Amino acid sequence: MLYSIIRANTYQDSLRLMHLSRALNGIAGIDRVSILMGTPANKEILRDAGLGAAELEGARPTDLVIAADVTDPTVGESLVAKLDELLAHQASASRRSGVRSARSLERALSIAGDANLALVSIPGEHVAPEVHRLLDRDIHAFIFSDNVSVEDEVTLKRKARERGLLVMGPDCGTGLIGGLPLAFTNAVRGGSIGLVAASGTGLQEVMVQIDRLGGGVSHAIGLGGRDLSDEVGGITCLEGLRALDADAATTTIVLISKPPAARVRDAITSVAATLSKPVVAILLGERPAVEVDGNVHHVQTLAEAAITAVELAGTPASPPVALRAEQRYIKALYTGGSLASEAAMLIGDALGVAADAAHPAGHLLKAGGHEVIDLGDDVYTRGRPHPMIDPSSRNERLPAVFDDPEAAVLLLDVMLGFGSDPDPAGALAPVIADGLGRLHADGRDLAVVASVCGTEDDPQSSGTQTLALEEAGVSVMPSNAAAVRHALAILRRRDTKAAPLDAVPGPIRRLLAEPPRIVNIGLRGFAETLHDRGARVVQYEWSPVAGGDAKLQSLIDALN
């Protein structure tokens, strides 16, 4: 038999409805139960499922509707009691969460104090009016909601662009602004890699891989899956790219998208090519014609995007470097011959010069002022141990690099394992720290980049060696090739002019530069996550305007 309950004016978001449904389905004597808001569409769902009842037809969109197929006619009282218990528990949990809340947008904004970002996760048919109200108050919008028409998306994004704001979404599942997670976002370390993505899980994958490689994320701007469609034209993508280019915390940009419309792809890549920072572009499903085109690095997989971004940006432990105009050259001092050969090849290919096959005096590359030297060459090991055993032969050469006014990057390898020096980083770190200290005292700088070839189980411990180098001011990369590419990226950054700040509207610059002040409209769990991460967030306990009466709501919108 059918049993139904209506709780008037008891609006619940979709996540809470799911939790209620799971709990009530566990009651003995109930074959199945459905818990929905009383919208016309939901009442039709109940009728199609055989759970429709005459008393439910009068339910409004703000009314909570429970329809159950019961085998025991006395189970109704248990169902009502359990429902009331669950609703009371939800209310109590909301109060304990510490998240401040309000029942009107105006009150929520008053509590938040100069809010500049709203996270919207309400039913799609109600999104456009709410976001228009937000934009009218100069508030950026992150729209998690789906089922928003493409016409509404275009209208909202064009309006946002005119007002110097960002609309991220609709159907935007992932974002990270200043370390604060928006919707479905992983906990990743902060850093200097900024991402713009029209792919939620793709964005998550690249962010996670960046973190695993030792890199860090400054911001992740989600776009929604349709932003790069022909209809939308990449409106938010273009604004996001320019914003990250002007953002002081970002040194490298990653663009992630499912296959974009051809016209939009051309427009996006054209803008990317004009940016002052390197861009790693992955357009899923497209095979890149070239790997590198100016400042744009094309890759084919999400993992490659993360690897390339970390190679270009470095890790959060990589110290910022301010090079002078005369500092133009890489000086590479290696203890491993094969790693030196790889470095010579990569640097030679990047600079358009050939490695020296003859290797005079251990030089695998000597072009202009660039040098790659294998200190394990026979010329350096006559009468003394190999530098992997005795690091003093390399240490003796380091002061000359620090004293060279044209040296920009000192590139090193650190080899671990049985038979190697018991603490190679311990021998290197004091010399590097002293050299950098002398330079900084004179108002100069030098980038020191290294890779550690070893494992945590080696006698020297790769983690211990890495930490010692980082504390001395070394940027430690996950592989030798990554270290070489990072060294080359440092040279390119030295030759790049910063993006003009006036190219990006003030509200967007401030969104990335300052901790956002957030109003959460919809799924309360998003607000609780933000609150737990230290965000300034207020929960707007949204429910449909005018009891969900579409005609009356349209009239109210028109009057506003």
Side-chain angles (χ1 to χ4, degrees):
M1 62 176 289
L2 297 181
Y3 187 88
S4 57
I5 306 170
I6 297 177
R7 283 284 185 267
N9 294 315
T10 311
Y11 183 83
Q12 302 289 309
D13 64 46
S14 58
L15 189 59
R16 286 184 166 185
L17 290 173
M18 180 190 73
H19 290 157
L20 288 171
S21 180
R22 286 178 176 175
L24 294 181
N25 268 301
I27 297 177
I30 297 179
D31 272 353
R32 55 190 175 128
V33 61
S34 187
I35 306 174
L36 301 167
M37 300 311 300
T39 66
N42 286 341
K43 285 185 280 190
E44 184 175 349
I45 290 172
L46 292 176
R47 287 192 293 270
D48 291 344
L51 293 173
E55 58 266 32
L56 298 180
E57 291 303 317
R60 301 185 307 165
T62 53
D63 296 342
L64 183 66
V65 171
I66 300 93
D69 186 2
V70 302
T71 56
D72 181 353
T74 66
V75 80
E77 290 184 6
S78 299
L79 184 60
V80 172
K82 184 65 174 178
L83 173 64
D84 289 341
E85 176 190 336
L86 292 170
L87 291 173
H89 176 75
Q90 285 185 346
S92 176
S94 295
R95 289 192 295 271
R96 291 195 307 270
S97 71
V99 177
R100 298 189 68 182
S101 62
R103 295 199 171 274
S104 71
L105 178 59
E106 287 69 23
R107 178 58 180 156
L109 296 177
S110 174
I111 295 172
D114 196 25
N116 65 342
L117 176 62
L119 201 168
V120 181
S121 54
I122 60 178
E125 63 267 26
H126 301 286
V127 163
E130 288 295 337
V131 176
H132 276 297
R133 281 189 277 272
L134 295 168
L135 297 177
D136 289 339
R137 292 166 171 81
D138 291 326
I139 297 172
H140 306 276
F142 181 100
I143 306 174
F144 176 83
S145 310
D146 54 12
N147 292 309
V148 178
S149 72
V150 69
E151 292 80 13
D152 280 339
E153 178 174 352
V154 171
T155 299
L156 292 170
K157 289 186 171 180
R158 286 177 177 171
K159 180 175 180 175
R161 182 175 58 191
E162 291 168 2
R163 300 183 69 91
L165 301 168
L166 288 180
V167 166
M168 296 166 272
D171 199 13
C172 189
T174 302
L176 186 84
I177 302 296
L180 295 177
L182 304 177
F184 300 147
T185 304
N186 302 92
V188 296
R189 64 169 61 87
S192 64
I193 299 172
L195 304 100
V196 175
S199 169
T201 54
L203 176 54
Q204 286 186 266
E205 173 72 2
V206 175
M207 291 169 66
V208 167
Q209 293 300 326
I210 287 171
D211 184 89
R212 288 178 180 171
L213 291 165
V217 175
S218 57
H219 309 284
I221 299 174
L223 308 175
R226 294 186 305 216
D227 192 74
L228 272 66
S229 67
D230 219 8
E231 297 90 339
V232 184
I235 294 174
T236 303
C237 182
L238 291 169
E239 295 298 318
L241 288 172
R242 295 188 181 105
L244 292 175
D245 196 39
D247 176 51
T250 301
T251 64
T252 302
I253 300 168
V254 180
L255 168 63
I256 307 167
S257 175
K258 297 166 187 173
R263 175 184 68 85
V264 181
R265 177 198 60 218
D266 294 343
I268 296 296
T269 53
S270 294
V271 168
T274 67
L275 301 181
S276 67
K277 297 171 182 175
V279 178
V280 181
I282 173 167
L283 307 178
L284 289 164
E286 292 194 0
R287 188 179 298 275
V290 294
E291 288 187 7
V292 182
D293 184 8
N295 68 313
V296 181
H297 301 251
H298 296 278
V299 298
Q300 193 172 353
T301 69
L302 298 167
E304 287 177 291
I307 292 168
T308 305
V310 173
E311 289 176 351
L312 295 171
T315 70
S318 301
V321 179
L323 300 177
R324 296 180 175 181
E326 64 270 18
Q327 292 180 274
R328 303 188 298 274
Y329 301 119
I330 297 173
K331 306 291 184 177
L333 302 177
Y334 275 80
T335 62
S338 295
L339 299 188
S341 295
E342 182 181 56
M345 176 192 68
L346 293 172
I347 294 172
D349 288 348
L351 301 176
V353 297
D356 196 323
H359 305 167
H363 279 82
L364 301 185
L365 179 80
K366 190 170 186 179
H370 299 289
E371 293 181 287
V372 178
I373 303 175
D374 172 17
L375 295 173
D377 189 272
D378 289 350
V379 70
Y380 300 112
T381 56
R382 289 194 187 99
R384 65 187 306 171
H386 191 280
M388 287 173 58
I389 300 173
D390 177 14
S392 63
S393 61
R394 177 162 63 180
N395 285 3
E396 293 164 2
R397 289 176 166 264
L398 294 179
V401 177
F402 286 104
D403 292 339
D404 184 347
E406 294 183 318
V409 184
L410 170 60
L411 183 60
L412 306 166
D413 65 335
V414 177
M415 306 300 299
L416 311 184
F418 299 106
S420 292
D421 182 85
D423 187 14
L428 263 177
V431 183
I432 293 170
D434 179 70
L436 289 175
R438 289 189 292 108
L439 284 181
H440 295 162
D442 291 338
R444 296 174 55 213
D445 211 345
L446 178 77
V448 184
V449 182
S451 63
V452 174
C453 180
T455 72
E456 199 59 35
D457 292 330
D458 280 328
Q460 304 89 344
S461 169
S462 59
T464 300
Q465 297 289 299
T466 296
L467 181 60
L469 292 169
E470 289 178 341
E471 289 178 344
V474 181
S475 176
V476 181
M477 301 301 293
S479 70
N480 180 55
V484 175
R485 294 191 179 105
H486 184 55
L488 291 164
I490 290 171
L491 289 187
R492 295 190 191 102
R493 284 206 294 268
R494 186 212 60 156
D495 297 328
T496 302
K497 294 181 180 179
L501 291 179
D502 59 4
V504 178
I508 297 178
R509 292 202 309 271
R510 289 190 291 275
L511 176 67
L512 302 188
E514 304 168 1
R517 299 165 300 284
I518 304 170
V519 172
N520 186 66
I521 308 174
L523 297 174
R524 188 182 181 92
F526 292 159
E528 292 172 352
T529 297
L530 287 163
H531 175 76
D532 292 344
R533 301 283 291 189
R536 186 173 169 182
V537 59
V538 176
Q539 173 70 21
Y540 168 24
E541 301 287 4
W542 180 92
S543 63
V545 175
D549 185 312
K551 291 183 178 179
L552 183 54
Q553 183 173 333
S554 297
L555 178 59
I556 293 172
D557 291 338
L559 292 173
N560 289 333

